[in-house]
Amino acid sequence: MEKSFIFLIFLVLTHRSSMQEDDNAYSKIPAGLKIGIGEASYQTEGAWNISNKGESIWDNFVHNVPWKIDDQSNGDTASDSYYKYKDDVKLIKMLGLDYHRLSISWARVLPNGSADSINQEGIQYYHNFIDELLANGIEPIVTIYHWDHPQVLEDMGGWMNESMATWFTEYAEVLYRELGPKVKVFVTINEPQILCFQGYGGTLIAPGRNLGPAGAYTCGHNMLKAHAKAYRLYGEKYRSAQNGKLGIISHCSGFLPETEGETLPSETAYQFRCGWISHAIFVGDYPQLMKSKVAEVSRNEGLSESRLPKFSPEWIRYINGTADFFGLNHYSSYLVSFPTTTIQNDSFMLDDSGVSIRSDPRWEAGSLKRFRIIPEGFGWLLRKIKSEYNNPPVYITENGLPDNGGLQDYQRIKYHYLYLKEVLRAVQRDGCNVQRYTFWSLLDHFEWNSGYRHTFGFINVNMTSPGRERTPKLSFSWLQNVMRTRQLQPPILPPSVNTTTNHQ
Ligand SMILES: *[C@@H]1O[C@H](CO)[C@@H](O)[C@H](O)[C@H]1NC(C)=O
Ligand SMILES: *[C@@H]1O[C@H](CO)[C@@H](O)[C@H](O)[C@H]1NC(C)=O
Ligand SMILES: *[C@@H]1O[C@H](CO)[C@@H](O)[C@H](O)[C@H]1NC(C)=O
Ligand SMILES: *[C@@H]1O[C@H](CO)[C@@H](O)[C@H](O)[C@H]1NC(C)=O
Ligand SMILES: *[C@@H]1O[C@H](CO)[C@@H](O)[C@H](O)[C@H]1NC(C)=O
Ligand SMILES: CC(=O)N[C@H]1CO[C@H](CO)[C@@H](O)[C@@H]1O
């Protein structure tokens, strides 16, 4: 009698604490979690034809097929960061962040693609930028390649040409040699998934080759080889002196089952999109599920062999283990199922997985509909990465929400509050080994095929003014408070909303 009464109290107490856990338990940012912000060269720099810079595939795309960009704009000037990098560093410092993620424009450093002719003015810009960060106590994280390779290399096939792996490695070596003494984290390639499917498989982004799934798979295949060669070269020639960390960035969404308990659709969607790249690096080769499914689809289409290229055993071993961290870009989540009648798909992948992927219209969206606020999908993903790859160090290298601009960005604050909270819980409750969290992005910038209509910045940039004046948004002061206290801060609510409103 007494025992069961005590047990009952225990139940009540544990139930209460798990209810309260959500709001208070994990709000401290642990010492092992560094916080930063990021940008990409083509999206911010401008100065596209300055100081011997070569033409990149993005310069070519926006100038030759301007109608592919929602507002027919381009990145010729963008946020003008080529000239204003010192202002940007001041703002990063004001935010109190630990690090800044920037990318190098391949065509600015190697105008005609060849590592034999380094553009000194181009590399000097990155020396200056990185020195300015270091002088202000901000750690630089360098993305070697964020989608803007030299057009001359595209003219020789780009990522369809296996030689690209060699050209990429020669370029990476220039950066190890030049910047490696002061850069301790390099990312090789940003999001093969998106660039290969939208730029080579489809036409949404540069180079817009429209080669279908087979083209996208070949692109990913060559990128994995390029990444591995660049990683191995660092190990052989630079690691002992420079002691940096290297990885590649996967774009991974959350895939929640449409029907509770039905896990195969989630597993399939995960392996086709995230696992495609990550499995080869953390386990070896493409995921079995993906190999079988693409082989089956290819057979059904009458192809003599699978359109997913095969790695030799030597390449499988060579690529396996080539990452010091799991680089993760995450934005949103989807509901997945095997369709019974018509196939519903979203616009970002032509897919052999056979999985139907949709957004729940009840989930709140940013200015682009596929960016829904669904933080539990992030928790799902972080736990999936932990179990799938034996809990590797995870660097979250992008996380953010688009809106239509303006300084009162309440929705951005709410998004980051909920998403960072999910990260803190995954780390402190579930033991996920997340070591970095990167807000995306510092500035309003050129948002690829969306032009300037959708913005991710904590800082507004006046894109109609030649001065490209920077004005911090409301989210800027929220983020300052997070960094000052190293504690998650409650969202700032718009004046008309009462405090009990549920986030869903
Ligand atoms: C560089 O591009 C701008 C357009 O963004 C153009 O006005 C200018 O003439 C170009 N400069 C050179 C040297 O080609
Ligand atoms: C490559 O670019 C450099 C610097 O812009 C130039 O001097 C050189 O002639 C170019 N080489 C070729 C083969 O185009
Ligand atoms: C690939 O690059 C090589 C140079 O390494 C070139 O000879 C070849 O023509 C290119 N292939 C294609 C398909 O463009
Ligand atoms: C990949 O590397 C891991 C760790 O060294 C090893 O356990 C695994 O067997 C390798 N995978 C393949 C396919 O060789
Ligand atoms: C942006 O710059 C333009 C041109 O200088 C100016 O007319 C406009 O008021 C500015 N917009 C804002 C929001 O400051
Ligand atoms: C139902 C639906 O949206 N189907 C689309 C799936 O994607 C392909 C390729 O983009 C489209 O052609 C279909 O219309």
Side-chain angles (χ1 to χ4, degrees):
M1 184 72 187
E2 208 180 285
K3 256 190 184 159
S4 64
F5 177 69
I6 289 169
F7 183 60
L8 190 67
I9 289 179
F10 174 76
L11 274 183
V12 169
L13 288 176
T14 50
H15 182 63
R16 278 201 46 172
S17 72
S18 72
M19 301 270 290
Q20 287 171 342
E21 160 190 293
D22 262 7
D23 281 292
N24 306 313
Y26 304 116
S27 63
K28 243 186 112 51
I29 295 171
L33 180 62
K34 291 185 182 171
I35 309 285
I37 204 158
E39 278 302 353
S41 47
Y42 187 73
Q43 296 186 279
T44 52
E45 283 176 5
W48 78 279
N49 57 0
I50 297 297
S51 301
N52 300 321
K53 177 179 164 294
E55 186 189 34
S56 78
I57 58 166
W58 271 94
D59 298 320
N60 188 277
F61 193 70
V62 298
H63 295 148
N64 290 311
V65 286
W67 55 88
K68 295 266 171 132
I69 311 301
D70 280 359
D71 54 5
Q72 308 241 342
S73 64
N74 60 51
D76 286 359
T77 307
S79 318
D80 207 27
S81 289
Y82 183 75
Y83 297 106
K84 294 196 156 47
Y85 71 91
K86 286 189 181 175
D87 295 352
D88 295 348
V89 173
K90 275 202 194 87
L91 290 160
I92 300 164
K93 183 163 188 173
M94 278 173 69
L95 284 165
L97 293 160
D98 300 323
Y99 64 90
H100 181 62
R101 176 181 168 220
L102 67 144
S103 83
I104 311 293
S105 160
W106 190 339
R108 197 181 292 289
V109 176
L110 305 180
N112 45 30
S114 159
D116 294 337
S117 35
I118 299 173
N119 177 18
Q120 286 307 327
E121 283 175 272
I123 195 72
Q124 191 58 45
Y125 166 65
Y126 296 107
H127 275 296
N128 295 346
F129 193 168
I130 288 166
D131 290 347
E132 188 72 12
L133 286 167
L134 290 169
N136 283 280
I138 303 156
E139 180 192 3
I141 291 191
V142 166
T143 309
I144 295 171
Y145 172 64
H146 198 126
W147 300 3
D148 50 351
H149 59 270
Q151 180 63 33
V152 288
L153 300 184
E154 188 56 35
D155 294 341
M156 293 194 284
W159 288 107
M160 290 299 106
N161 193 330
E162 198 184 334
S163 298
M164 194 71 164
T166 304
W167 303 329
F168 176 78
T169 306
E170 287 166 2
Y171 162 52
E173 180 161 23
V174 170
L175 301 191
Y176 301 155
R177 216 165 49 221
E178 289 275 345
L179 308 176
K182 42 197 177 190
V183 172
K184 296 305 147 204
V185 179
F186 282 108
V187 168
T188 53
I189 299 173
N190 182 71
E191 295 182 346
Q193 290 97 336
I194 304 295
L195 178 53
C196 289
F197 267 88
Q198 296 187 352
Y200 285 86
T203 62
L204 267 183
I205 62 174
R209 299 276 298 271
N210 205 20
L211 301 168
Y217 295 145
T218 300
C219 166
H221 205 68
N222 289 331
M223 279 189 186
L224 281 165
K225 289 180 173 180
H227 160 79
K229 281 169 81 99
Y231 181 93
R232 299 277 179 211
L233 175 78
Y234 188 82
E236 284 152 22
K237 283 178 71 176
Y238 297 92
R239 190 183 288 279
S240 61
Q242 298 184 356
N243 198 27
K245 292 192 190 313
L246 262 77
I248 189 170
I249 291 177
S250 255
H251 177 105
C252 308
S253 303
F255 299 106
L256 303 171
E258 181 96 49
T259 308
E260 218 180 303
E262 201 183 52
T263 54
L264 191 56
S266 294
E267 177 65 12
T268 307
Y270 175 85
Q271 295 301 353
F272 262 80
R273 297 185 173 202
C274 193
W276 171 34
I277 298 302
S278 302
H279 195 277
I281 287 168
F282 287 93
V283 185
D285 202 4
Y286 295 123
Q288 186 54 48
L289 192 153
M290 184 179 187
K291 290 196 291 184
S292 315
K293 202 108 187 179
V294 180
E296 182 193 323
V297 173
S298 303
R299 243 188 338 270
N300 292 344
E301 289 184 14
L303 301 174
S304 59
E305 55 181 19
S306 176
R307 62 172 157 235
L308 183 67
K310 281 189 186 54
F311 285 122
S312 67
E314 292 72 34
W315 272 111
I316 291 173
R317 274 197 300 276
Y318 188 80
I319 294 167
N320 187 15
T322 55
D324 305 320
F325 55 86
F326 189 110
L328 171 64
N329 286 1
H330 175 81
Y331 288 91
S332 191
S333 292
Y334 300 94
L335 287 175
V336 297
S337 60
F338 289 125
T340 43
T341 48
T342 48
I343 295 198
Q344 293 175 318
N345 53 18
D346 64 347
S347 61
F348 91 78
M349 269 200 184
L350 311 149
D351 204 76
D352 286 333
S353 70
V355 171
S356 160
I357 289 180
R358 69 178 189 102
S359 292
D360 188 328
R362 288 169 303 181
W363 297 341
E364 183 181 331
S367 61
L368 289 159
K369 287 285 169 273
R370 65 178 187 279
F371 291 82
R372 304 265 173 180
I373 305 181
I374 177 76
E376 43 273 54
F378 201 5
W380 175 90
L381 177 65
L382 292 171
R383 290 185 288 276
K384 174 73 176 162
I385 289 168
K386 178 188 178 203
S387 66
E388 191 77 8
Y389 311 115
N390 195 23
N391 207 15
V394 173
Y395 292 4
I396 297 163
T397 36
E398 286 180 26
N399 182 232
L401 185 81
D403 64 16
N404 291 125
L407 300 178
Q408 307 301 106
D409 55 344
Y410 297 104
Q411 202 189 23
R412 172 162 298 105
I413 298 170
K414 172 176 165 180
Y415 173 92
H416 281 290
Y417 166 75
L418 292 169
Y419 273 65
L420 184 51
K421 186 161 121 178
E422 199 69 31
V423 172
L424 295 175
R425 189 163 40 211
V427 171
Q428 294 172 86
R429 186 191 67 191
D430 305 330
C432 295
N433 190 11
V434 180
Q435 299 186 356
R436 293 182 188 265
Y437 174 86
T438 314
F439 290 91
W440 190 265
S441 57
L442 180 68
L443 304 170
D444 287 350
H445 57 212
F446 178 73
E447 188 50 39
W448 311 115
N449 59 313
S450 299
Y452 296 102
R453 281 198 186 142
H454 302 278
T455 64
F456 286 81
F458 283 72
I459 297 159
N460 171 275
V461 178
N462 187 341
M463 294 293 175
T464 58
S465 165
R468 295 295 192 275
E469 289 81 12
R470 279 102 164 102
T471 311
K473 301 181 186 178
L474 196 57
S475 57
F476 185 97
S477 52
W478 177 82
L479 179 48
Q480 270 185 315
N481 279 336
V482 171
M483 294 313 296
R484 195 172 37 76
T485 58
R486 293 202 86 95
Q487 182 107 19
L488 187 60
Q489 295 298 314
I492 304 170
L493 300 174
S496 59
V497 174
N498 78 51
T499 48
T500 58
T501 303
N502 190 291
H503 73 265
Q504 295 294 315

